[in-house]
Amino acid sequence: MPEQVTTSENSVRDPARIGVYVCHCGNNIAATIAVDEVAQYAAGLNKVVVSREYKYMCSEPGQAMIEQDIRDHGLNRIVVASCSPLLHERTFREVLSRSNLNSFYFQMVNIREHASWIHDNRAAATEKAKDLVRAAVRRVALHRPLEPRRVPIDPAVLIVGGGIAGIHAALTIANAGKQVYLVEREPTIGGHMAKFDKTFPTLDCAACILTPKMTSVGAHPNIKLWTYSEVMKVDGYVGNYKVTIRRNPRYIIEDLCIGCQECITACVYKAGKVDDEFNLGLSKRKPIYLAFPQAVPQKVVIDPENCIEFKSHRCKKTCVEACAERGAIDLNQKEEIKEITVGTVILSTGFKTFDPRRRPNYGYGRFQNVYTSLEVERLINASGPTGGDVILRDGTRPQSIGIIHCVGSRDHNTNRWCSKVCCMYSLKLAHLLKEHTGAEIYNFYIDMRTPGKNYEDFYDRMLDEGVHFVRGRVAEVSDWAAHPSEKGKLIIRAEDTLAAFVRRIPVDMVVLSVGMEPKEDAHDVRRMFNVSCSSDGWLTERHPKLAPVNTLTDGIFICGACQGPKDIPETVAQAGAAAAEALSLISAGCIDLEPYTAKVMEEVCCGCKTCIPMCPYDAISVDEAKQKACVNEVLCKGCGTCAAACPSGSIEQNFFEDEEIFEEIAGVLTHA
Amino acid sequence: MHENPAVGNEKAAFEPLIAAFFCNWCTYIAADLAGSSRMKIPPNVRVVRVMCSGRVDPQFILDAFSEGADGVLIGGCHPGDCHYQEGNYKTLRRFRLLKRMLADMGVEDDRIRLEWISASEAERFRAVMNDMVEKVRALGPLKLKPPAEVFAEEVAPHA
Amino acid sequence: MKFAYYPGCSLRGTGRAYEDSLLAVFRALDIELEELEDWNCCGATTYLSFDELTSYALSARNLAIAERMQLDIVAPCAACYLVLNKTQHYMHDYPHIDQLVRGALKSIGFDYKDRVKVRHPLDILWHDIGVETIRSKVKAPLKGLKVAPYYGCQIVRPYATFDDQYAPVSMDRLLEAAGAEVVSYPLKTRCCGGSQKGSLPEIGLDLLSYLLIEAKKCGADVIATACPLCQFNLEVFQSEVGSRQRPISMPIVYFTQLLALALGAPFSDIGFKYSVVPIQPVLRQKEIACA
């Protein structure tokens, strides 16, 4: 039951005494709309006691002006015509609250985003502003005092996605003493970062800086780590989310497995047969496997699609034999459904790399010595498929390597955005490949984007190390030799825009710096959590500058690459920010929800039950004794669909009552 | 009907007045985004904010027409994306029925419109606005026959 | 199986061999063709670069005629094929073009609904008829004839509708079905230069020479093409290319001519009489009938 919050008592139908404030917003509104005219016009409207215009209503003097007027003129309704309510409605409601007025005696008018910023005709924009202000004045007179619903915040946090973002957020929150559920789809946490060799610009070993954090997560008493698991359903509201999670069967009893890997050695397959996902298909694994040597949790997993026992039931099951003492293998294991309650959720689901087959002119898949950057990270990695030795698919060692920037980025044919990290990692790979092979390296770039701390120095260093740079977008990679010297090589054709001619550069190996993209199921995931996505698929933040980790849904936060392409330092910063936002809510202990709920006027309700099926949250039920509908305020989310459906008009939505909306309609359309 | 204030001495050309009901989570934000992107939109639209397009009672639409709107636009989230799960489906059902009723009342098809515009679709918002204003402008001011005239017409053959 | 046949200007001009052989192939495979009534020039690259919007309208008129005939179009000429496809794509992607073109069509009595599919003969032969059927109908297999399959760029880029953009295989498979030995030709989709041999001769000649020299290096006896301009370019300037390196004298034919020959059409009826570089010496050497 939400607590009742007491505010000042103002009886509902006091004669309204309205204050109208028209904001200049610097030049944003004033340049296009004659704000003084609008304020003057408002002054002449019915029930308006005070009408002013001011440069910045949301500033301290602006807010103080309202408070002063409330005191001096006994105002009991306020209208502010300025920017979007999504930006400052809360700000101004607090002003009323401070002045002991019910904060819902306020109406905001959007004359910036919806008027001054989109119209260039001064007269038309000013008329429109007047219409909108008139509508707000008529409406606000009918506002009732409302109490926000206060709900408690469950201190547990759900984090979806166990890459560096999820890991950092989890540790931050767990160290603050709160319970974290970290859910990860893969059998191990670590995300993309676990696959990298070194990180720019410090050339720290990725595994060295990541694995200690991974181990901490695995060992932390406050973190419940559920890998090989997925979120299936989310119900509830901020402070009280009920989440259903499916734990996929590893066919290994997690508590019993000690990661000794005897079972893997014992497997009837003598060598790997399945493409190793962690090594991006550059090596093979057995159907029973450990994701990678430093996997957390250090538990084996069986892949039922490739295991003989699952396909034909005819295996000798040497793995089970090898684990006879501990008995950790359970081939009959079933999926497990977990239901948890959390107060907040952090989405850190990460990204996927661009599939270079969508740019067929680069030859990926056609020419065996064309690699993606992520594949190269595995090649040069000491724990990779070749032990760090750069040996190509045809068994040779490259003496010349071309690195092509912007594959699937800054490209109207595929993805228009810049993926932010590729220039830096291309420089990093240039350095590492040169170190490992001594080859001649050629980087083909459009622009060199090195904005972070010490990033430009890193670029200078590569120039000093003798990496060749060609400024020009690569047109094609081909295996056709125009002269004998090109035979057996891959020819990169690009216009060298600085030298003004077209180059053909023969190399042994081509590396495609693939861009970042949202994960394929980004839309499905975000629908489950009721947050929005841009059409590209990046999760949408509440405000790109001032609220980059919040979403429009209270209690759900986003961080890391799922919000947009970014490097590790930014990801960690966002993860910390999201953790802080969650902890801030948990620390406050409760949150006030907007009271836009529906209510039934019993005297008018005839028990027709039209409203019952309208509600997706089952918030409306029938009081059988009274034969009247009844709304459960806790479950009601405030959409107003039932109010629109009710034939007798006996359901009203707080703050969006029929009368209030009719006044607003009349206000925008009729002239005084 | 709304006279174009921008035109000075010449006879004012007809500028339609369009009432719009936008849902808070999708279309309203798209309109905000069009604003922050400084897109150019004709000044004929007046927006009434609701939490969900499902709140839009057909009575609001009828009221809007009777109060002087030449066109009415409802903006909601794409099917499947409603912030409240299903509100927009209810809107769609009501809209279809209302359109038939309005047609019987002599309100032309292009005057009442339901559009799904998501929060990031500022460009789509602009396209819809431009298109609707143009279409309604071409139709001219809404002229509903007064009830007495309609009654008289219906009675005449039987007189 | 019936299609509206759109020859385009070139198949009635320098590409006569293409038409003769195409009709022979389709006859042999029982594919019915009805020539598009009163068709007009597609605009190709020239008109499109001169007046883009009008060009789309002109090109769309052919689509509208086909729609009225209730048939899909087969457009053998690569440029016509590309322009018709491009018109459809641009009408779909750009509402103002769509509006203009539909308006223009309406003014001459066409209510165009965009239900026509534009097909290439390679597409029809490979997907609709199938390699097996063709193989079964071959009467005089081109045994021992080494062919370099040259697709050119326009039928595979930018719209890779029926085959891969860089490594297409339709022509390869069809020629193999005809019994020929298809050589691995890495430049099979590289541009021949188009009309640049006229406007920028240095560049045009460069592009042509790569194609011809590589074909020779790959051991081809003949190059098979699918575009009248490619065929013209490759055939007619061999003396210029040859004099810079070594002499080149390679027959350049349409893939339909080879198919028609294999399917038993009389040698004299399938356009070989228009060749500048005769194919007879090569055929006689391989003991393939060319009477």
Side-chain angles (χ1 to χ4, degrees):
Chain A
M1 254 322 262
E3 264 177 55
Q4 295 290 44
V5 176
T6 30
T7 54
S8 74
E9 284 312 298
N10 271 305
S11 69
V12 175
R13 297 291 158 132
D14 262 355
R17 293 176 62 77
I18 305 173
V20 177
Y21 300 87
V22 186
C23 187
H24 294 221
C25 193
N27 256 339
N28 283 309
I29 296 177
T32 316
I33 291 180
V35 289
D36 51 344
E37 221 181 281
V38 179
Q40 223 174 359
Y41 171 74
L45 292 173
N46 209 5
K47 300 187 189 160
V48 173
V49 173
V50 167
S51 177
R52 298 191 199 284
E53 30 98 2
Y54 183 62
K55 265 228 177 305
Y56 297 104
M57 282 312 301
C58 56
S59 67
E60 224 185 279
Q63 295 186 39
M65 175 168 43
I66 300 178
E67 293 180 55
Q68 183 77 40
D69 281 345
I70 292 175
R71 277 199 296 275
D72 293 347
H73 298 273
L75 302 177
N76 57 18
R77 302 282 192 280
I78 305 291
V79 169
V80 173
S82 59
C83 51
S84 171
L86 274 93
L87 214 49
H88 279 310
E89 190 171 50
R90 229 166 248 195
T91 313
F92 292 114
R93 280 187 180 156
E94 274 163 35
V95 171
L96 272 76
S97 205
R98 287 201 295 274
S99 305
N100 275 330
L101 266 186
N102 185 289
S103 49
F104 293 91
Y105 278 151
F106 169 71
Q107 179 70 353
M108 189 137 171
V109 186
N110 187 336
I111 57 170
R112 189 181 72 170
E113 281 87 338
H114 286 198
S116 68
W117 272 354
I118 54 174
H119 307 320
D120 32 23
N121 181 320
R122 198 179 168 79
T126 306
E127 279 310 299
K128 179 167 170 174
K130 289 185 194 166
D131 289 348
L132 293 172
V133 168
R134 181 180 60 238
V137 165
R138 287 179 71 152
R139 189 199 209 276
V140 82
L142 297 182
H143 281 196
R144 295 181 198 277
L146 295 171
E147 321 296 357
R149 302 173 288 161
R150 183 159 283 182
V151 295
I153 305 277
D154 187 304
V157 182
L158 167 66
I159 300 181
V160 184
I164 180 64
I167 289 171
H168 184 80
L171 288 170
T172 309
I173 296 173
N175 287 339
K178 307 299 170 199
Q179 171 72 49
V180 173
Y181 295 96
L182 180 55
V183 175
E184 164 58 53
R185 174 184 288 173
E186 299 297 319
T188 174
I189 52 175
H192 278 95
M193 189 172 167
K195 300 191 171 119
F196 299 161
D197 180 38
K198 306 255 190 318
T199 55
F200 58 76
T202 48
L203 295 175
D204 277 314
C205 154
C208 306
I209 56 180
L210 179 62
T211 46
K213 285 177 101 102
M214 285 169 63
T215 314
S216 299
V217 166
H220 207 296
N222 290 340
I223 300 180
K224 197 141 219 126
L225 177 59
W226 286 336
T227 54
Y228 216 43
S229 307
E230 285 176 82
V231 176
M232 291 180 68
K233 198 156 82 89
V234 180
D235 279 320
Y237 48 92
V238 58
N240 198 349
Y241 286 112
K242 300 241 180 306
V243 186
T244 309
I245 294 161
R246 184 185 66 231
R247 303 219 57 206
N248 293 318
R250 293 171 105 99
Y251 305 104
I252 305 290
I253 302 171
E254 262 188 48
D255 290 337
L256 294 177
C257 176
I258 53 169
C260 67
Q261 301 178 55
E262 292 290 325
C263 50
I264 300 180
T265 321
C267 177
V268 293
Y269 278 95
K270 281 305 140 218
K273 281 283 167 64
V274 187
D275 277 345
D276 184 337
E277 294 89 345
F278 195 79
N279 281 332
L280 301 163
L282 292 173
S283 64
K284 304 273 188 215
R285 61 160 174 81
K286 299 185 186 181
I288 183 168
Y289 66 105
L290 193 61
F292 74 104
Q294 293 81 35
V296 169
Q298 186 74 187
K299 315 277 176 197
V300 165
V301 109
I302 298 181
D303 157 22
E305 280 175 37
N306 289 293
C307 169
I308 297 179
E309 177 55 22
F310 283 90
K311 295 208 290 191
S312 68
H313 303 289
R314 291 220 213 118
C315 184
K316 287 193 282 193
K317 294 187 272 204
T318 41
C319 53
V320 177
E321 253 178 69
C323 194
E325 213 184 297
R326 292 196 67 82
I329 300 188
D330 173 11
L331 296 172
N332 294 315
Q333 198 179 62
K334 298 276 173 273
E335 68 181 31
E336 222 185 309
I337 306 292
K338 298 272 196 202
E339 288 186 6
I340 57 172
T341 302
V342 294
T344 49
V345 178
I346 295 180
L347 300 177
S348 48
T349 46
F351 67 97
K352 78 178 213 291
T353 51
F354 174 78
D355 179 358
R357 271 172 282 244
R358 289 167 61 192
R359 288 312 271 134
N361 48 328
Y362 291 154
Y364 183 80
R366 264 189 300 135
F367 307 127
Q368 53 177 343
N369 292 338
V370 176
Y371 290 80
T372 63
S373 45
L374 204 53
E375 287 169 349
V376 173
E377 296 275 354
R378 298 314 301 152
L379 265 188
I380 56 179
N381 200 306
S383 56
T386 54
D389 209 349
V390 183
I391 303 178
L392 303 178
R393 286 187 182 101
D394 66 358
T396 60
R397 285 193 168 75
Q399 293 186 313
S400 52
I401 303 174
I403 301 179
I404 303 180
H405 292 218
C406 300
V407 178
S409 304
R410 304 188 71 191
D411 182 356
H412 278 233
N413 291 318
T414 53
N415 298 327
R416 291 184 175 212
W417 59 80
C418 166
S419 294
K420 213 169 187 186
V421 301
C422 324
C423 278
M424 280 308 293
Y425 81 54
S426 301
L427 291 172
K428 171 191 82 172
L429 289 180
H431 168 83
L432 293 169
L433 284 167
K434 207 170 177 50
E435 198 177 62
H436 283 242
T437 64
E440 291 302 318
I441 317 275
Y442 302 87
N443 280 50
F444 297 84
Y445 67 100
I446 305 176
D447 292 291
M448 199 50 86
R449 295 186 163 179
T450 55
K453 203 160 175 180
N454 298 323
Y455 288 10
E456 187 66 18
D457 288 333
F458 194 68
Y459 176 33
D460 280 340
R461 183 172 158 186
M462 292 315 119
L463 288 165
D464 286 338
E465 284 183 12
V467 173
H468 308 285
F469 289 91
V470 176
R471 183 179 178 276
R473 179 163 227 157
V474 170
E476 72 170 4
V477 172
S478 137
D479 62 350
W480 171 65
H483 0 90
S485 63
E486 293 182 354
K487 209 162 156 62
K489 302 248 188 226
L490 290 170
I491 320 297
I492 298 179
R493 261 180 78 219
E495 180 190 357
D496 184 334
T497 55
L498 294 177
F501 65 94
V502 175
R503 284 194 191 268
R504 289 175 67 84
I505 301 192
V507 294
D508 296 318
M509 174 189 193
V510 171
V511 179
L512 302 177
S513 298
V514 287
M516 293 168 90
E517 280 183 335
K519 282 202 134 91
E520 302 87 356
D521 62 350
H523 280 283
D524 296 328
V525 167
R526 64 100 178 167
R527 275 199 193 106
M528 239 192 322
F529 290 96
N530 213 0
V531 295
S532 48
C533 248
S534 66
S535 46
D536 298 324
W538 304 113
L539 298 183
T540 311
E541 61 288 317
R542 182 180 281 242
H543 191 278
K545 295 250 188 258
L546 300 179
V549 299
N550 306 65
T551 61
L552 283 168
T553 307
D554 285 329
I556 315 258
F557 306 101
I558 53 179
C559 63
C562 59
Q563 186 258 357
K566 54 178 63 71
D567 55 20
I568 294 170
E570 275 189 316
T571 300
V572 172
Q574 277 202 343
E581 294 281 344
L583 286 170
S584 158
L585 270 183
I586 295 170
S587 185
C590 58
I591 189 176
D592 285 342
L593 295 181
E594 275 167 340
Y596 299 155
T597 47
K599 57 181 193 275
V600 179
M601 288 176 294
E602 279 195 8
E603 326 81 73
V604 190
C605 174
C606 66
C608 72
K609 299 184 189 165
T610 304
C611 56
I612 313 290
M614 290 285 126
C615 185
Y617 306 105
D618 295 325
I620 315 181
S621 53
V622 179
D623 181 332
E624 292 293 346
K626 294 192 218 167
Q627 279 298 300
K628 306 271 182 196
C630 166
V631 176
N632 182 338
E633 260 207 354
V634 177
L635 295 176
C636 174
K637 296 232 189 202
C639 68
T641 305
C642 54
C646 176
S648 56
S650 48
I651 298 192
E652 282 291 9
Q653 182 187 11
N654 283 329
F655 202 69
F656 292 94
E657 294 180 22
D658 282 346
E659 263 190 59
E660 289 167 343
I661 297 185
F662 281 132
E663 279 299 306
E664 200 177 338
I665 294 172
V668 291
L669 294 171
T670 52
H671 294 255
Chain B
M1 156 110 135
H2 189 86
E3 305 237 316
N4 184 352
V7 180
N9 298 323
E10 322 116 53
K11 182 174 186 305
F14 163 66
E15 277 304 325
L17 197 53
I18 297 183
F21 298 91
F22 287 169
C23 90
N24 182 66
W25 304 98
C26 285
T27 314
Y28 195 91
I29 295 182
D32 276 357
L33 185 56
S36 31
S37 314
R38 311 296 196 277
M39 294 185 179
K40 290 300 155 228
I41 315 268
N44 310 61
V45 178
R46 306 280 180 270
V47 178
V48 172
R49 181 171 75 128
V50 287
M51 278 294 130
C52 177
S53 58
R55 176 72 190 92
V56 180
D57 192 324
Q59 287 184 87
F60 296 164
I61 299 167
L62 296 170
D63 189 57
F65 280 125
S66 73
E67 292 279 6
D70 301 298
V72 175
L73 171 67
I74 309 164
C77 306
H78 286 266
D81 287 353
C82 178
H83 190 83
Y84 305 98
Q85 315 300 323
E86 307 166 354
N88 54 0
Y89 293 133
K90 317 291 197 315
T91 317
L92 183 60
R93 291 198 316 228
R94 290 177 197 139
F95 176 74
R96 292 230 168 105
L97 194 56
L98 185 68
K99 235 187 163 170
R100 287 159 68 176
M101 273 177 60
L102 287 171
D104 285 345
M105 288 165 70
V107 177
E108 296 95 324
D109 211 52
D110 282 336
R111 291 192 192 274
I112 170 69
R113 193 159 164 168
L114 173 62
E115 288 291 343
W116 309 128
I117 300 176
S118 82
S120 57
E121 291 183 308
E123 182 50 61
R124 185 162 149 67
F125 167 73
R126 191 234 305 253
V128 167
M129 291 287 87
N130 280 330
D131 187 60
M132 182 154 189
V133 169
E134 219 180 280
K135 288 205 163 90
V136 178
R137 191 185 285 129
L139 287 172
L142 177 69
K143 284 192 185 76
L144 287 174
K145 290 187 194 158
E149 208 184 304
V150 177
F151 183 69
E153 279 176 21
E154 286 180 13
V155 162
H158 308 282
Chain C
M1 202 179 298
K2 187 174 180 188
F3 293 94
Y5 171 52
Y6 179 70
C9 312
S10 45
L11 264 72
R12 292 284 151 84
T14 51
R16 249 161 294 165
Y18 201 176
E19 176 169 78
D20 289 351
S21 52
L22 178 83
L23 295 177
V25 169
F26 275 36
R27 249 194 319 269
L29 296 170
D30 291 318
I31 307 172
E32 212 187 314
L33 288 178
E34 188 180 329
E35 188 168 326
L36 207 63
E37 294 161 16
D38 190 35
W39 56 266
N40 57 268
C41 171
C42 72
T45 38
T46 348
Y47 205 80
L48 206 58
S49 45
F50 175 66
D51 182 344
E52 197 179 345
L53 291 177
T54 316
S55 180
Y56 289 129
L58 280 178
S59 156
R61 180 173 172 275
N62 298 303
L63 297 170
I65 296 172
E67 192 176 75
R68 186 172 277 172
M69 290 166 75
Q70 292 188 322
L71 294 168
D72 286 338
I73 291 186
V74 57
C77 165
C80 298
Y81 178 74
L82 176 55
V83 170
L84 290 173
N85 263 303
K86 188 173 178 177
T87 304
Q88 286 188 316
H89 272 93
Y90 274 57
M91 281 176 71
H92 183 263
D93 293 343
Y94 299 103
H96 70 277
I97 293 182
D98 183 84
Q99 219 174 12
L100 200 98
V101 171
R102 277 182 209 269
L105 291 172
K106 210 165 224 144
S107 72
I108 51 169
F110 285 104
D111 186 16
Y112 180 58
K113 295 268 186 290
D114 193 18
R115 296 216 185 97
V116 182
K117 280 210 272 298
V118 179
R119 312 284 305 279
H120 193 269
L122 281 171
D123 180 12
I124 295 169
L125 292 171
W126 192 36
H127 285 126
D128 295 10
I129 304 289
V131 158
E132 287 316 310
T133 310
I134 294 176
R135 205 192 303 271
S136 67
K137 295 209 165 153
V138 164
K139 299 206 177 78
L142 308 166
K143 200 154 178 304
L145 183 68
K146 292 207 172 96
V147 186
Y150 179 60
Y151 297 74
C153 56
Q154 294 192 84
I155 53 179
V156 290
R157 292 193 293 279
Y159 310 117
T161 41
F162 65 91
D163 209 342
D164 188 88
Q165 284 191 332
Y166 287 92
V169 294
S170 47
M171 200 195 296
D172 299 49
R173 298 288 98 84
L174 291 170
L175 292 171
E176 277 164 3
E181 190 186 316
V182 173
V183 304
S184 171
Y185 186 48
L187 302 182
K188 54 170 45 164
T189 59
R190 207 168 203 264
C191 179
C192 70
S195 17
Q196 308 225 52
K197 184 66 187 61
S199 47
L200 294 168
E202 279 290 298
I203 296 174
L205 198 61
D206 244 2
L207 291 167
L208 285 174
S209 61
Y210 283 136
L211 292 172
L212 288 165
I213 292 168
E214 187 63 26
K216 199 159 183 217
K217 247 203 274 170
C218 292
D221 298 314
V222 58
I223 299 180
T225 64
C227 166
L229 192 50
C230 295
Q231 194 277 336
F232 177 83
N233 277 335
L234 287 169
E235 184 175 54
V236 156
F237 300 110
Q238 287 183 12
S239 55
E240 282 183 51
V241 170
S243 66
R244 288 171 52 173
Q245 312 281 321
R246 264 154 275 188
I248 295 202
S249 176
M250 181 166 303
I252 314 288
V253 297
Y254 293 99
F255 74 96
T256 40
Q257 289 181 287
L258 294 177
L259 278 181
L261 194 61
L263 290 168
F267 184 82
S268 51
D269 292 351
I270 49 182
F272 286 116
K273 62 185 178 227
Y274 301 116
S275 296
V276 168
V277 181
I279 196 177
Q280 285 92 317
V282 171
L283 291 180
R284 271 185 222 115
Q285 197 200 29
K286 306 285 172 175
E287 293 172 5
I288 296 171
C290 50

